[in-house]
Amino acid sequence: KGYYAEYKTTGFSEFWLNGGGTDQLTPLPVKLMNITALRQGLNVLVQWKVGSETKVGRYEIEVARGTDALQAGRFEKIGEVISNGPSTAMKEYSFTDADTDKFGARYYRLKIINTDGSFRYSPVRVVMFEETVLWQVYPNPGNGTFSLVYQLSGGVQLNARLYDARGRL
């Protein structure tokens, strides 16, 4: 639905230019002031502030799990927050990613969806989950078939042994 230019500055903040829509007088539907993604233990708190909103329907929170997913543009929706409606006052929103299977780099962004169906994306924010060894076995309890998910640092080898309930290898 058009083009935009994004500029980053070192002394002020981000600013955006647009063509003003089809009538050249229409402002962007939302003035995004900032977005942060902060690790809180095993959770990630995504927070954003808007300076004004008009015609914004909702904010979808998306994540790319790992650098490969980011580079391939594989973002997945993990939640959404409904807009509080039109306003020229500063508003704050937040979403907590409580997914239990976090490891490595996770890249977060907002998909800002307007009431007319158009959308744009926020800047991307990264949160690192560096664990020496992160592993998970599921389902538990299971039916005899289990999955093992693990992450190791580069060059490290995993040696695993599986024992039954009687302690047999």
Side-chain angles (χ1 to χ4, degrees):
K1 300 226 176 187
Y3 298 93
Y4 70 91
E6 179 179 352
Y7 300 89
K8 294 194 187 273
T9 64
T10 57
F12 178 63
S13 67
E14 290 183 4
F15 65 93
W16 294 68
L17 305 174
N18 81 359
T22 55
D23 61 3
Q24 302 298 311
L25 300 171
T26 306
L28 289 170
V30 66
K31 182 177 181 182
L32 184 63
M33 303 302 285
N34 75 348
I35 175 174
T36 60
L38 303 170
R39 182 176 173 178
Q40 295 184 326
L42 296 177
N43 294 330
V44 174
L45 178 63
V46 180
Q47 296 178 301
W48 60 101
K49 292 180 185 177
V50 297
S52 64
E53 288 179 290
T54 58
K55 302 179 184 175
V56 175
R58 69 185 182 278
Y59 300 90
E60 291 184 355
I61 299 83
E62 298 184 339
V63 66
R65 292 174 175 91
T67 305
D68 291 341
L70 174 70
Q71 292 172 347
R74 287 191 320 264
F75 281 84
E76 299 174 31
K77 177 183 170 183
I78 59 170
E80 72 179 36
V81 174
I82 303 300
S83 168
N84 287 329
S87 173
T88 57
M90 178 88 68
K91 292 184 185 177
E92 296 183 15
Y93 294 93
S94 66
F95 175 83
T96 299
D97 177 5
D99 180 14
T100 58
D101 190 23
K102 294 184 190 81
F103 56 87
R106 291 175 69 98
Y107 299 89
Y108 294 86
R109 72 179 182 189
L110 298 176
K111 182 176 183 180
I112 304 164
I113 302 178
N114 302 319
T115 54
D116 66 0
S118 63
F119 63 89
R120 72 178 178 99
Y121 294 106
S122 73
V124 175
R125 300 295 184 245
V126 63
V127 175
M128 297 299 296
F129 285 87
E130 293 297 332
E131 306 293 337
T132 307
V133 177
L134 176 75
W135 61 277
Q136 179 181 20
V137 177
Y138 63 91
N140 185 13
N143 60 4
T145 302
F146 298 92
S147 295
L148 170 65
V149 177
Y150 63 93
Q151 175 191 357
L152 301 172
S153 301
V156 176
Q157 183 177 4
L158 173 70
N159 294 311
R161 294 179 183 198
L162 182 63
Y163 295 90
D164 67 14
R166 295 183 180 169
R168 295 179 298 196
L169 182 62

